[in-house]
Amino acid sequence: MVNVIPSEIRFLGTCIFIVDMLCHVEKTAEAMPSSDWTPFEINRSLPPERADIVIVGGGVMGWSIAYWLKQKEKIREGVRVLVVERDPTYSQASTVLSAGGIRQQFSLPENIVLSIASADFMRNINKHLSVLNEDPVDLQFNHSGYLFLASENVAQIMEENYKTQRYVGAKVALLSPTQLKEKFPWINTDGIVLASYGLENEGWFDPWTLLNAFRRKAISMGVYQCFGEVTGFKYTTNSMNTAEGNKLDFQRIKYANVQMPNSLEYQPVECAIVVNAAGAFSGKVAEMMGIGLGLKDTIAGVPLPVEPRKRFVYVVHCPDGPGLETPFLIDYSGVYFRREGLGGNYIAGMSPEEEEPDTSNLEVDHQFFQEKVWPRLAHRVPAFENLKVKSAWAGFYDYNTFDQNGIVGNHPLVNNMFFATGFSGHGLQHSPAVGRAIAELILDGGFQTLDLSAFSFQRIITQEPMLEKNIV
Amino acid sequence: MAKTSMRRTFRLVPLLAATPRHWSSNPGAPPPLQTRLLLYLSHRFHDVETLLSWIPWLKSRGVRQKNIFYGYTQENFGDNVAAAFYILSLRGGFRFAGQSEWFRSNKRGKFSWDFINQRDATIEEVDASNTLINYTGLENLVKQKSLRTLSLCGCVEVDDWFLSRLHVFQDTLEELDISHCPQITVGGLASLRNLRALRRLDISSLPKLQDPGLVAILLEEMLPQCQVTAFGFDHSLTYSHTPTDAQRTESVQEQ
């Protein structure tokens, strides 16, 4: 057979064979341990190179948005969603450190409506978040209601709030001190003029279960999860002049740099939209885009007013304390407590009035309990005079320093960064409804079911606060 | 593409190893072959996954149909007739206030239509045992301001949210029977604190209650005038195999 092939072709074939071998040798040499190049991908924990929507923050808000985005996409794999979470252990995340309460007793109708919608979601949670062949979701929802106590100077505000709440559709009842004493004999009604009691859709639940339910369902629908930190953005800038002649820089995010934990390795993820759901650390993420770093009286100079605020939660045991009917009681002095389990344990805390604790760590200040919380607790519930502190923890609020209400919507200058942060302690209870609202903003172009335009970034630029009366 | 198929096949491994799940009556056995085959196919093909995800929705159609809002009846015949019609179509029974006759449907679901003529009679006792009553259906009953007895024995769809809605009957409800309801937990029982007039409460055989004895005591403290019945629970002491603190300190001292 070999004799049939002409000698020129045989010569050509041998040359090609030799060149191929030489190249092969070069590549093999490069693949040796001492060289830089490798034909195989080493780090599988890197996020994909391209994603349509990058959600910064893997708390309950981030995963709720991811779920609703996948829920609302019209075709399968219509949007590629990536959720980037810095800490896989969730050691500093506000979601898991929260007391887990949900209430409708707000003064702003938007907040009340958000809570009602979220409670409806939680009632039908298995219709929304059940995954084929997995266990159903059990939120361990305690329907014990919230009880707000008002002294003389805030009773008027409580009555107005009650009217708003009933108008919007929350099931709340007002109680006089005598009715209060009859319902809850363990309360000391000294100083109380009026009490507001939630009858339905109020109570507390397990935030970790809700987070994992959202996460499990979102991942089953194809959301990408990456553990890494967003350290910067690459963006393009378009300058325009307003009618008055002022220069405005419109920025558009092109890449989000996701850095791997304990490593300098990062992946620039090319994205169309970035959602800032980083909770207490959203301010830092916004600074990476230069939001707030412009000149003082311009739009670019208005920072995202969200900063972490540390709050303490103490677990106490009281043998003769109030029983199964204990609601989530919030006193006018700022102290609150709720029942935890059936063994006489309670969870108590208080918003600090004068100085804010240091936010560089999550250390608990036990002096605060001894000096501030316990006297007020014992005054309100005499049985709490003999209690023992079993445990305590601290968590961050994503505190909106401007008006303590959430910021929902995109930034006017950075058009493809959406905010879902600044809820100052109410993020968990509003997360299902806010997630749906952000998904509607992104995919439908505007709010469809609930109009949350009152929570847009615009109010921070025009300095018109949407203040909530009586927050904790 | 590779990532999604990898994510999908990853779930194959425990499946093919036939880890036991709670399959109908026999919790220890692996699932039957056809179920395992269907799950394997649902991991490989989107169509099968979508079809299988429709099954719970189809199953819940029956419950939703039973619990629709009887708006037409309410408009034309009044709230009481609507509530009565709703209970009868659920295959439950009721008794009007001031009368001693019970209205029920027979085994085939037929009932007499006499209740239509009594537009002003409010319902006093409702027997909705073993029916598909749920939270949305309760909308039909909330206007009954003189409801005294409510029996929900063995209702599969009654859960904690249903119990939290019973506060609308807080002044009049005297007897509540929620035995054998598989979805009720302590969180829902805590919401019964609003029922001031409750005299008899039956919480027998609730499978999701972990500490039934303790819960019964706490309920009696919460509702002092109410008599709580809790049969069907195993109140015996469970023996743990870990040494108690006394035994542990003894062994340390010996050393």
Short mmCIF file of all heavy atoms in Angstrom, two decimals, chain A residues 215-234:
data_model
loop_
_atom_site.label_atom_id
_atom_site.label_comp_id
_atom_site.label_asym_id
_atom_site.label_seq_id
_atom_site.Cartn_x
_atom_site.Cartn_y
_atom_site.Cartn_z
N ARG A 215 -33.97 30.23 48.42
CA ARG A 215 -32.73 29.82 47.75
C ARG A 215 -32.90 28.49 47.03
O ARG A 215 -32.50 28.33 45.87
CB ARG A 215 -31.61 29.73 48.78
CG ARG A 215 -30.28 29.36 48.21
CD ARG A 215 -29.17 29.80 49.07
NE ARG A 215 -29.06 29.04 50.29
CZ ARG A 215 -27.94 28.94 50.98
NH1 ARG A 215 -26.86 29.53 50.56
NH2 ARG A 215 -27.93 28.26 52.09
N ARG A 216 -33.53 27.54 47.70
CA ARG A 216 -33.72 26.22 47.09
C ARG A 216 -34.57 26.31 45.83
O ARG A 216 -34.26 25.72 44.80
CB ARG A 216 -34.39 25.30 48.13
CG ARG A 216 -34.58 23.90 47.71
CD ARG A 216 -35.26 23.11 48.80
NE ARG A 216 -36.69 23.40 48.88
CZ ARG A 216 -37.54 22.77 49.67
NH1 ARG A 216 -37.10 21.81 50.47
NH2 ARG A 216 -38.82 23.09 49.69
N LYS A 217 -35.66 27.09 45.92
CA LYS A 217 -36.54 27.21 44.76
C LYS A 217 -35.84 27.96 43.63
O LYS A 217 -35.94 27.58 42.46
CB LYS A 217 -37.82 27.95 45.17
CG LYS A 217 -38.84 28.09 44.06
CD LYS A 217 -39.45 26.78 43.69
CE LYS A 217 -40.47 26.94 42.59
NZ LYS A 217 -41.04 25.68 42.17
N ALA A 218 -35.10 29.03 43.99
CA ALA A 218 -34.44 29.81 42.94
C ALA A 218 -33.38 28.96 42.23
O ALA A 218 -33.26 28.99 41.01
CB ALA A 218 -33.81 31.07 43.54
N ILE A 219 -32.61 28.19 43.01
CA ILE A 219 -31.58 27.36 42.38
C ILE A 219 -32.21 26.28 41.52
O ILE A 219 -31.70 25.95 40.45
CB ILE A 219 -30.65 26.77 43.46
CG1 ILE A 219 -29.79 27.89 44.04
CG2 ILE A 219 -29.77 25.69 42.90
CD1 ILE A 219 -28.79 27.43 45.06
N SER A 220 -33.36 25.74 41.96
CA SER A 220 -34.02 24.73 41.13
C SER A 220 -34.55 25.34 39.85
O SER A 220 -34.78 24.63 38.87
CB SER A 220 -35.16 24.08 41.90
OG SER A 220 -36.31 24.87 41.84
N MET A 221 -34.77 26.67 39.84
CA MET A 221 -35.24 27.32 38.62
C MET A 221 -34.08 27.81 37.77
O MET A 221 -34.31 28.42 36.73
CB MET A 221 -36.13 28.52 38.98
CG MET A 221 -37.46 28.10 39.54
SD MET A 221 -38.24 29.45 40.39
CE MET A 221 -39.55 29.83 39.31
N GLY A 222 -32.83 27.63 38.23
CA GLY A 222 -31.70 27.94 37.39
C GLY A 222 -30.94 29.20 37.74
O GLY A 222 -30.21 29.73 36.91
N VAL A 223 -31.07 29.69 38.97
CA VAL A 223 -30.30 30.87 39.37
C VAL A 223 -28.89 30.41 39.74
O VAL A 223 -28.72 29.38 40.38
CB VAL A 223 -30.98 31.56 40.57
CG1 VAL A 223 -30.10 32.65 41.14
CG2 VAL A 223 -32.31 32.14 40.16
N TYR A 224 -27.88 31.18 39.33
CA TYR A 224 -26.50 30.84 39.66
C TYR A 224 -26.14 31.46 41.00
O TYR A 224 -26.47 32.60 41.29
CB TYR A 224 -25.55 31.40 38.59
CG TYR A 224 -25.66 30.69 37.27
CD1 TYR A 224 -26.68 30.99 36.39
CD2 TYR A 224 -24.74 29.72 36.91
CE1 TYR A 224 -26.80 30.33 35.20
CE2 TYR A 224 -24.84 29.05 35.70
CZ TYR A 224 -25.89 29.36 34.85
OH TYR A 224 -26.01 28.72 33.66
N GLN A 225 -25.46 30.68 41.82
CA GLN A 225 -25.04 31.20 43.13
C GLN A 225 -23.53 31.24 43.16
O GLN A 225 -22.88 30.29 42.75
CB GLN A 225 -25.55 30.27 44.23
CG GLN A 225 -25.09 30.69 45.60
CD GLN A 225 -25.51 29.69 46.67
OE1 GLN A 225 -25.33 28.49 46.51
NE2 GLN A 225 -26.06 30.19 47.75
N CYS A 226 -22.96 32.35 43.62
CA CYS A 226 -21.51 32.45 43.68
C CYS A 226 -21.15 33.02 45.04
O CYS A 226 -21.74 34.00 45.51
CB CYS A 226 -21.02 33.38 42.57
SG CYS A 226 -19.28 33.77 42.74
N PHE A 227 -20.15 32.39 45.68
CA PHE A 227 -19.67 32.95 46.95
C PHE A 227 -18.45 33.78 46.66
O PHE A 227 -17.38 33.26 46.35
CB PHE A 227 -19.37 31.82 47.95
CG PHE A 227 -20.61 31.15 48.43
CD1 PHE A 227 -20.88 29.83 48.13
CD2 PHE A 227 -21.55 31.86 49.18
CE1 PHE A 227 -22.04 29.22 48.58
CE2 PHE A 227 -22.71 31.25 49.63
CZ PHE A 227 -22.95 29.92 49.32
N GLY A 228 -18.59 35.05 46.72
CA GLY A 228 -17.48 35.94 46.43
C GLY A 228 -17.91 37.35 46.78
O GLY A 228 -19.05 37.59 47.16
N GLU A 229 -17.00 38.27 46.67
CA GLU A 229 -17.30 39.65 47.04
C GLU A 229 -17.21 40.55 45.82
O GLU A 229 -16.26 40.45 45.04
CB GLU A 229 -16.30 40.13 48.09
CG GLU A 229 -16.63 41.47 48.67
CD GLU A 229 -15.70 41.87 49.78
OE1 GLU A 229 -14.88 41.01 50.18
OE2 GLU A 229 -15.78 43.02 50.22
N VAL A 230 -18.18 41.40 45.65
CA VAL A 230 -18.14 42.37 44.55
C VAL A 230 -17.23 43.50 45.00
O VAL A 230 -17.52 44.20 45.98
CB VAL A 230 -19.56 42.88 44.24
CG1 VAL A 230 -19.49 44.03 43.27
CG2 VAL A 230 -20.41 41.77 43.69
N THR A 231 -16.10 43.66 44.32
CA THR A 231 -15.13 44.66 44.77
C THR A 231 -15.12 45.91 43.90
O THR A 231 -14.49 46.88 44.25
CB THR A 231 -13.71 44.07 44.76
OG1 THR A 231 -13.53 43.38 43.53
CG2 THR A 231 -13.52 43.12 45.91
N GLY A 232 -15.78 45.87 42.78
CA GLY A 232 -15.79 47.06 41.94
C GLY A 232 -16.62 46.83 40.71
O GLY A 232 -17.08 45.71 40.45
N PHE A 233 -16.82 47.88 39.98
CA PHE A 233 -17.59 47.82 38.74
C PHE A 233 -16.81 48.48 37.64
O PHE A 233 -16.03 49.41 37.87
CB PHE A 233 -18.94 48.54 38.89
CG PHE A 233 -19.84 47.95 39.93
CD1 PHE A 233 -19.94 48.54 41.19
CD2 PHE A 233 -20.59 46.82 39.69
CE1 PHE A 233 -20.77 48.00 42.16
CE2 PHE A 233 -21.41 46.27 40.66
CZ PHE A 233 -21.50 46.88 41.89
N LYS A 234 -17.01 48.02 36.41
CA LYS A 234 -16.49 48.73 35.24
C LYS A 234 -17.68 49.34 34.54
O LYS A 234 -18.66 48.65 34.26
CB LYS A 234 -15.79 47.75 34.29
CG LYS A 234 -14.50 47.20 34.81
CD LYS A 234 -13.61 46.72 33.65
CE LYS A 234 -12.49 45.85 34.14
NZ LYS A 234 -12.79 44.42 34.17
#
